[in-house]
Amino acid sequence: QVQLVESGGGLVQAGGSLRLSCAGSGRTFSRNAMGWFRQAPGKEREFVAAIRWSGGSTYYADSVKGRFTISGDNAKNTMYLQMYSLKPEDTAVYSCAASTYPYFTADYRNPHGYAYWGQGTQVTVSS
């Protein structure tokens, strides 16, 4: 009952910025806790950021803390990932995900705790 579509990826030089968007269907923002993950070629999918709408709680991976910001616009049913000071190590396919519930039933860092996924958007950072 939840559909997610990412956009905003692209190629940027190190030190640059990008804003990713995740458009959700239905009542996604009020009924589902959500997060961003990324996966580079040959590597495991890794946690980037997560958010619980009701309490305004946000969580970040240590590798992006201070550089990335997760947020949302309830009226537009859209979640964002604002990325600053991008590094070549940030190069990956970024995907947004939604939990079945308004809260996380497992560690928010675990991708298996999310039920719905978008197709992903490519982010490439050159050095």
Side-chain angles (χ1 to χ4, degrees), residues 3 47 66 85 100 107 112:
Q3 293 184 346
F47 168 76
S85 301
T100 304
D107 188 348
H112 297 293

Side-chain angles (χ1 to χ4, degrees), residues 14-38:
S17 63
L18 284 173
R19 187 180 75 162
L20 305 184
S21 297
C22 174
S25 65
R27 307 279 295 281
T28 305
F29 280 70
S30 63
R31 299 183 179 181
N32 309 85
M34 301 179 69
W36 285 96
F37 288 79
R38 66 186 183 186

Side-chain angles (χ1 to χ4, degrees), residues 1-70:
Q1 59 181 313
V2 176
Q3 293 184 346
L4 305 172
V5 180
E6 304 94 336
S7 63
L11 193 156
V12 64
Q13 287 194 291
S17 63
L18 284 173
R19 187 180 75 162
L20 305 184
S21 297
C22 174
S25 65
R27 307 279 295 281
T28 305
F29 280 70
S30 63
R31 299 183 179 181
N32 309 85
M34 301 179 69
W36 285 96
F37 288 79
R38 66 186 183 186
Q39 186 170 24
K43 296 185 177 180
E44 294 289 323
R45 180 181 294 172
E46 65 175 345
F47 168 76
V48 176
I51 187 168
R52 284 189 62 188
W53 310 112
S54 61
S57 300
T58 57
Y59 313 89
Y60 298 93
D62 289 341
S63 60
V64 306
K65 193 172 299 181
R67 299 188 298 121
F68 292 9
T69 300
I70 187 172

